[in-house]
């Protein structure tokens, strides 16, 4: 939501904000993938991890050769998105097959996704209102927005049952 503001604040560049906006949503997948690969390796599934990395490499190189000459950096970002989605899906699928786990996708994905979308929407509307009233300038809008969005997101995670007090106790 505040990618362009962060780009200007941290790097003095709105262009960096574009990259933050595009790459930000895949960061959880990148972290998930590294954790899942570690678990798969611990479960003696190195060959499947290697197979998925080879599939990813071939897919990524093919897409780079086909898309990047036509679309430039936007094409490369698209390749990154597709590649990370592919490897995350393949590795997670393998982990679920090997462990025979049946995750509750509502709690793990649907409710958190709803919570972040709702937090973003509420934050954008309230910060715009405060800017119109002259209570916030553009820079303080971003700082306020990030803090408010984080608080609303955590609150919604509690309300939806995705986060419990015991989870926070373990984190701190």
């Amino acid at each position: 939501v505040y990618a362009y503001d962060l780009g200007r604040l941290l790097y003095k560049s709105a262009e960096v904000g574009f990259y933050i906006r595009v790459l930000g949503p895949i960061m959880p997948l990148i972290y998930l993938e590294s954790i899942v690969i570690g678990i798969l390796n611990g479960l003696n599934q190195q060959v499947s991890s290697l197979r998925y990395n080879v599939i990813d490499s071939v897919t990524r190189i093919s897409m780079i050769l086909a898309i990047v000459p036509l679309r430039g950096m936007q094409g490369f970002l698209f390749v990154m998105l597709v590649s990370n989605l592919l490897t995350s899906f393949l590795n997670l699928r393998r982990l679920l097959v090997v462990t025979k786990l049946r995750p509750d996708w509502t709690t793990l994905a649907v409710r958190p996704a709803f919570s972040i979308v709702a937090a973003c929407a509420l934050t954008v509307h309230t910060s715009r209102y405060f800017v119109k009233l002259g209570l916030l300038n553009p820079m303080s809008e971003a700082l306020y927005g990030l803090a408010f969005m984080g608080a609303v997101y955590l609150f919604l995670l509690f309300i939806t049952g995705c986060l419990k007090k015991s989870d926070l106790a373990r984190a701190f």
Side-chain angles (χ1 to χ4, degrees):
V1 172
Y2 294 102
Y4 292 100
D5 297 314
L6 283 172
R8 283 190 293 274
L9 177 69
L10 299 174
Y11 301 101
K12 311 288 188 258
S13 168
E15 184 181 357
V16 172
F18 169 75
Y19 298 114
I20 294 171
R21 176 169 270 178
V22 172
L23 297 175
I26 66 168
M27 290 310 298
L29 291 175
I30 293 170
Y31 295 133
L32 175 68
E33 183 181 344
S34 67
I35 292 167
V36 169
I37 287 173
I39 294 170
L40 284 172
N41 288 343
L43 294 172
N44 201 27
Q45 295 294 310
Q46 298 88 342
V47 173
S48 63
S49 293
L50 176 64
R51 182 179 336 121
Y52 300 147
N53 281 331
V54 169
I55 291 169
D56 175 52
S57 295
V58 169
T59 303
R60 190 180 294 223
I61 291 168
S62 300
M63 289 178 67
I64 287 172
L65 292 172
I67 297 172
V68 172
L70 300 173
R71 304 295 298 174
M73 191 59 169
Q74 287 180 340
F76 181 73
L77 292 173
F78 176 77
V79 169
M80 286 185 63
L81 288 169
V82 170
S83 171
N84 283 297
L85 285 169
L86 174 67
T87 55
S88 294
F89 170 77
L90 290 173
N91 283 305
L92 183 59
R93 183 180 155 277
R94 181 66 185 168
L95 178 64
L96 295 176
V97 166
V98 169
T99 60
K100 296 179 177 64
L101 288 175
R102 300 253 183 237
D104 176 9
W105 292 111
T106 302
T107 303
L108 290 175
V110 175
R111 291 180 191 163
F114 163 79
S115 297
I116 195 64
V117 168
C120 289
L122 181 63
T123 300
V124 167
H125 289 298
T126 58
S127 64
R128 285 183 184 160
Y129 179 72
F130 290 148
V131 168
K132 284 180 185 177
L133 291 176
L135 299 173
L136 292 174
N137 62 37
M139 192 51 63
S140 60
E141 176 190 8
L143 297 175
Y144 156 81
L146 290 169
F148 184 71
M149 189 183 317
V152 170
Y153 180 58
L154 286 175
F155 175 74
L156 290 172
L157 289 178
F158 273 111
I159 296 298
T160 59
C162 296
L163 192 61
K164 296 173 181 49
K165 287 182 183 178
S166 60
D167 296 328
L168 288 180
R170 278 185 281 163
F172 299 106

